[in-house]
Amino acid sequence: MTASPTVLILAAGEGTRMKSRLPKVLHPIAGLSMLGHVAATVEAAVAGAATGLVIGPHMEGVTAGAARSFVQKDRLGTAHAVLQARPLLEAAEGPILVLYGDTPLIRPETLRRLVSAVTQGPAIAVLGFRAADPTGYGRLLTRDGQLTAIREERDATDEERRIDLCNSGVMAFAPGKALGLLDRIRNDNAKGEFYLTDAVALAVADGESAAIIECGEDEVLGVNTRAQLAEAEAEFQARARRAAMEEGATLVAPDTVFFSHDTKLGRDVVVEPNVVFAPGVVVEDGATIRAFSHLEGAHVSSGATVGPYARLRPGARIGESVHIGNFVEIKAATIERGAKVNHLSYVGDARVGEGANVGAGTITCNYDGFSKHVTDIGAGAFIGSNSALVAPVKIGDGAYVGSGSVITEDVATDALAIGRGRQVAKAGRARELREALGKKKGG
């Protein structure tokens, strides 16, 4: 039985063409860094594999859940980068898989095919693709259908440059083969670098075989510029939309819906045009997300309706058959079964009980400038329009708050509260309050 693979992710590139202070591999696609996408794919393909990461100098903050990281101080080529992880390679008992942190769209099944190939005889398996425009890519050279070498474009002949079967850079080594090949690679080429790709010719010269595993060009899109980052985002979104519809969700205008890497939609969910799902969103079966809504860190239960023009912020929990209407914002609040917040309202740091109704223009005043406070609205309560509930405050079950009220004290079960008082101004009191609260917070 073959031992588990060892995975090495190369992420030392400076990404100068991104023109960013952020390391290239940390730029996000669908709310997750490119490196995070690669790490997630590795975990899905070969769960529990020993994983290492090669980074550049001053990139210590770049991580991907890798057990070990290695610094490539001098960028002398891909083979040189791999050899920085020599301790990891020496400890490997199974196949070794080499990936790139800026190639975020490879599918888990593709990596499994690559690893499987080197457990069946070949010393190396290379991930290749047919390029619409092969300019700039290394070419896969074959003889009688067998891979014999990889030629970088700068070193290729005119005939070799006409080949459209290209190298993605991703490859796998059979157990015990990597170091013996890598240590023999030289830098006698146009760029004076140590190319990982030269391992193929060395293996063939040793009488070993090398395999090609082909994938679609979209899977191995490398990101070096902002334009390529946008291309990768577009491809991810296209995949996510197809997957959502195949799993039973209706996207009324698919090209206008944007998913995060972890969005989960149930069956018979309907998503209207121009909806954005930021990270951490779950929408259960039969819910409807109406047009121009934005959801982040939210859970929407079955049969609920959200929007149009609604915003669900982190911690929003929308219960079954709840109605969240137009221009409503929910943050860190639980809206229980059958409740309604239909118009122009803000509910933050709150609970809205089952069957309660929150009228138009209602806000929970949850922040006093220093601390957040909770509003609790009981089951069946009715909050009249244009009310301000000044937290911390509790509205009892079945209570009624008159329209235009400012509620600063708890309202008992089934009570009617009307908070419309005469305006009072106290000179200097706001400053005193800020100072007092500031001292309290500082202490």
Side-chain angles (χ1 to χ4, degrees):
M1 181 176 180
T2 304
S4 296
T6 293
V7 179
L8 186 63
I9 303 172
L10 304 186
E14 293 179 283
T16 53
R17 284 187 283 168
M18 298 291 283
K19 293 181 170 58
S20 174
R21 295 179 180 178
L22 188 69
K24 177 174 68 171
V25 295
L26 295 187
H27 282 263
I29 293 171
L32 181 66
S33 70
M34 290 192 285
L35 186 56
H37 279 279
V38 175
T41 299
V42 168
E43 180 62 23
V46 284
T51 304
L53 183 67
V54 177
I55 58 177
H58 314 298
M59 292 175 64
E60 289 75 11
V62 176
T63 61
R68 305 179 68 176
S69 61
F70 306 89
V71 177
Q72 184 186 23
K73 294 180 180 179
D74 300 307
R75 294 177 173 87
L76 302 179
T78 48
H80 178 262
V82 172
L83 283 172
Q84 304 315 295
R86 182 181 292 273
L88 183 72
L89 305 183
E90 290 174 341
E93 297 180 358
I96 292 173
L97 180 62
V98 180
L99 301 169
Y100 293 82
D102 61 357
T103 308
L105 299 176
I106 296 176
R107 292 180 170 90
E109 53 268 30
T110 300
L111 297 187
R112 285 193 287 266
R113 287 196 294 133
L114 199 62
V115 171
S116 177
V118 294
T119 64
Q120 300 176 29
I124 299 177
V126 174
L127 187 61
F129 64 100
R130 300 281 175 178
D133 178 5
T135 304
Y137 292 112
R139 309 306 204 276
L140 301 187
L141 309 185
T142 61
R143 183 184 302 117
D144 299 326
Q146 297 296 310
L147 179 64
T148 58
I150 303 175
R151 189 81 73 238
E152 297 299 328
E153 183 167 74
R154 290 192 182 190
D155 302 301
T157 65
D158 289 342
E159 182 179 357
E160 289 169 342
R161 290 177 181 174
R162 286 193 287 271
I163 297 170
D164 68 351
L165 182 57
C166 296
N167 173 42
S168 71
V170 178
M171 63 175 61
F173 293 86
K177 299 294 184 181
L179 281 172
L181 295 169
L182 292 169
D183 283 334
R184 292 155 54 198
I185 291 175
R186 298 291 177 260
N187 65 342
D188 48 351
N189 51 64
K191 292 182 69 175
E193 293 186 354
F194 296 89
Y195 293 147
L196 181 62
T197 50
D198 287 350
V200 171
L202 290 171
V204 171
D206 290 344
E208 303 274 10
S209 63
I212 300 173
I213 301 298
E214 285 196 45
C215 68
E217 187 171 4
D218 62 292
E219 284 196 58
V220 289
L221 173 64
V223 176
N224 293 297
T225 66
R226 302 279 183 163
Q228 290 172 339
L229 184 69
E231 290 178 33
E233 179 76 42
E235 175 59 28
F236 177 92
Q237 294 299 334
R239 289 184 188 180
R241 292 162 187 153
R242 286 194 300 268
M245 291 185 286
E246 287 169 0
E247 290 300 315
T250 293
L251 308 184
V252 176
D255 288 349
T256 70
V257 176
F258 290 85
F259 290 99
S260 182
H261 66 99
D262 59 353
T263 305
K264 294 180 174 61
L265 301 185
R267 294 186 176 182
D268 297 316
V269 167
V270 176
V271 182
E272 293 184 355
N274 298 296
V275 170
V276 175
F277 295 98
V281 176
V282 175
V283 182
E284 293 184 2
D285 296 353
T288 298
I289 311 299
R290 298 202 181 281
F292 294 97
S293 294
H294 187 285
L295 294 78
E296 178 180 7
H299 188 111
V300 180
S301 298
S302 60
T305 300
V306 175
Y309 294 97
R311 184 184 182 195
L312 301 187
R313 291 170 59 193
R317 299 193 63 83
I318 309 304
E320 294 181 8
S321 303
V322 163
H323 286 192
I324 302 298
N326 49 291
F327 303 103
V328 170
E329 180 177 347
I330 309 291
K331 190 274 295 186
T334 298
I335 316 298
E336 295 181 355
R337 179 184 177 88
K340 296 179 180 180
V341 189
N342 272 333
H343 322 280
L344 301 156
S345 295
Y346 169 70
V347 178
D349 297 283
R351 178 188 76 96
V352 178
E354 183 172 344
N357 186 91
V358 177
T362 295
I363 61 171
T364 59
C365 305
N366 59 326
Y367 184 50
D368 61 13
F370 295 90
S371 302
K372 300 290 178 68
H373 303 281
V374 173
T375 298
D376 189 273
I377 299 172
F382 185 96
I383 312 299
S385 299
N386 291 320
S387 293
L389 309 180
V390 183
V393 70
K394 181 174 182 178
I395 312 299
D397 294 351
Y400 193 111
V401 173
S403 297
S405 293
V406 177
I407 302 299
T408 59
E409 298 179 1
D410 292 352
V411 179
T413 297
D414 293 326
L416 168 64
I418 300 174
R420 304 177 191 140
R422 184 165 55 92
Q423 180 171 316
V424 177
K426 296 184 178 181
R429 182 64 179 128
R431 182 182 66 253
E432 294 170 6
L433 181 62
R434 284 195 297 271
E435 291 172 353
L437 288 172
K439 290 178 181 177
K440 181 179 178 181
K441 187 175 182 181

